[in-house]
Amino acid sequence: MNATYDARLGLYIAGEWLGAAGRDTRDVLNPATGAGQAALPLATEDDLDRALAASQRGFDAWRATPPAERAAVLTRTAQLLRERVDHLARVATLEQGKIQAEAKGEVAFAAGLLDFHAAECQRVYGRVLPRPAGSHSMVLHQPVGPVAAFCAWNFPIMNVVRKLAPALAAGCSIIIKPSEETAGSAVEVMRCFQDAGLPGDVAQCVFGAPDMVSRHLLASPITRKLSFTGSVPVGKALMKLAADTMMRTTMELGGHGPVLVFDDCDLDRTLDTLVAHKFRNAGQVCVAPTRFQVQDGIYDRFAAGFAERTRALRVGDGMDAASQMGPMANARRPDAIAEFVGDATAQGARLLAGGDRDGDAGFFFQPTVLSDVPTAARAMNEEPFGPIALLSRFATDEDAIAEANRLPFGLAAYCFTENGRRQNMLGDTIEAGMIAINNVRLSYPDSPFGGIKESGHGSEDGPEGIAAHLVTKTVHIS
């Protein structure tokens, strides 16, 4: 299906949209074809200095803006997202690859995030402590200051809103650097905020060489908080930069989601649920189910059913309504997945479905199922971030839990069992920031989203998301 990319790209600094004149540019590609669609202007150090100065001015004004007025901007932005859903979803698909149904669902979730934060920003309460007559002590929660936020490309609409909404609700200003590979989605989201009445100095949007941008923004004394979504190695590097100024950090890093499937589960319902969720966004999801640990008694039936459902998936251009899985987001990902598959099969894993590129154009890779994958395989230890399901078997509950907790990651985990006692035990013992039992949904606007161990720290969404943008101050008066 042919479609024209019409996102109006540009930097947004101090309330002004800046084009490519006098700046280096980067091509934004269509993952379904590999062809370039637009030239993205990249920020210079002078641009970043302007953004920082604007962010300081914006913070001084925005923190004094009544919460009800901040809430009104967020609510209006949510309305605009819903009104522009077709355009936003189309832009996201053309530059990231996901199917239209998923892109529209992403817009809907982003609007829900804004609605939640609009209400929650009016509930930032402190407290008064009991003291003798004539004196009192107050505990206040105040915005931390200008925020630097860095976004991943896999959810180009939702990730941007997930950074902006809590910062703005708390009274902070923000400089956001979305992925250069999915710039159009971020730009269109920023236009919604702009059209909703957000003052120009409060939120800046920049693109550029990641190392230069991160070093420049994080070295500035203006920046008071870092919020990052991305890989573990990059997250660790950014934390080292943030440490120089004792900056507050929220780190939403990678995972390697274990899936524990016990022999008392509803097998057909479990398979239908897991196959659809595994290959959502071509598996390019930080909380994707990845290591499927299946109890001996149902392992063979599970593997056969999983492979059969996987082979039936239709892969194609995300703009085609018949597609159930789109291309991977960039040229790097198919190569990476092919290496994981080759390594696993060389070590004895059985290929049950997929395993190769799909077509000659674009960045397509077949949805892939590997069975009896040895623990030593690279894919069992490194986040594959793609359409590859790794199946292995276990005998006892203790074996399953030990394997689930084996890696240094702790973002998401999934369990399928009808035994209530076991459900409680799994919730207590699995080392993950989020656990889904007999379902796969982990993201809600009112619940915290985040991991433990090397998957990061801090939470986004829920009241915890706003709290991460506040500092605590105690005032004692006599």
Side-chain angles (χ1 to χ4, degrees), residues 108-396:
F109 184 80
L113 281 174
L114 287 162
D115 285 338
F116 174 81
H117 286 90
E120 196 66 21
C121 78
Q122 301 177 79
R123 292 190 283 268
V124 178
Y125 304 133
R127 67 184 190 275
V128 177
L129 306 178
R131 293 290 182 264
S135 64
H136 64 276
S137 298
M138 298 181 295
V139 179
L140 308 178
H141 299 294
Q142 298 181 333
V144 63
V147 177
F150 302 85
C151 299
W153 44 258
N154 57 338
F155 289 94
I157 295 166
M158 186 270 290
N159 279 339
V160 171
V161 172
R162 181 171 263 167
K163 299 299 183 190
L164 288 163
L168 298 176
C172 297
S173 60
I174 182 169
I175 301 174
I176 190 165
K177 194 201 84 66
S179 170
E180 288 72 28
E181 295 177 348
T182 53
S185 299
V187 167
E188 295 306 307
V189 169
M190 287 296 295
R191 292 189 193 280
C192 290
F193 277 96
Q194 180 190 46
D195 294 344
L198 183 69
D201 286 349
V202 175
Q204 321 298 315
C205 181
V206 301
F207 303 96
D211 183 69
M212 184 277 286
V213 174
S214 59
R215 288 183 182 277
H216 200 88
L217 294 182
L218 298 182
S220 171
I222 291 175
T223 306
R224 298 293 186 87
K225 176 180 169 64
L226 162 65
S227 181
F228 174 71
T229 298
S231 70
V232 173
V234 175
K236 290 180 177 180
L238 292 178
M239 282 192 66
K240 291 177 182 178
L241 296 177
D244 287 341
T245 58
M246 294 299 293
M247 190 180 300
R248 296 276 294 274
T249 57
T250 296
M251 311 299 289
E252 199 275 276
L253 308 181
H256 204 305
V259 186
L260 280 58
V261 183
F262 295 85
D263 56 13
D264 66 339
C265 75
D266 183 330
L267 184 57
D268 285 333
R269 183 171 65 85
T270 299
L271 283 167
D272 290 342
T273 300
L274 285 175
V275 171
H277 198 62
K278 167 68 250 184
F279 300 110
R280 176 175 67 112
N281 201 21
Q284 300 165 123
V285 182
C286 59
V287 295
T290 301
R291 290 176 291 147
F292 294 80
Q293 303 165 53
V294 185
Q295 201 157 19
D296 285 331
I298 60 169
Y299 182 84
D300 291 337
R301 285 185 292 150
F302 182 92
F306 201 104
E308 179 183 11
R309 288 164 172 81
T310 299
R311 289 191 293 266
L313 293 173
R314 177 167 176 172
V315 179
D317 191 326
M319 295 300 297
D320 186 341
S323 297
Q324 295 172 289
M325 189 184 93
M328 305 199 75
N330 54 60
R332 305 183 302 276
R333 300 312 306 151
D335 291 340
I337 299 304
E339 291 178 4
F340 280 125
V341 173
D343 173 77
T345 54
Q347 297 198 50
R350 295 186 297 122
L351 183 63
L352 300 185
D356 204 351
R357 298 173 182 274
D358 196 333
D360 298 324
F363 311 137
F364 292 94
F365 199 94
Q366 299 167 348
T368 297
V369 182
L370 292 168
S371 177
D372 299 313
V373 186
T375 302
R378 277 187 57 214
M380 290 289 279
N381 297 279
E382 303 172 26
E383 182 180 26
F385 214 68
I388 177 172
L390 310 168
L391 277 56
S392 60
R393 64 179 75 225
F394 71 87
T396 68

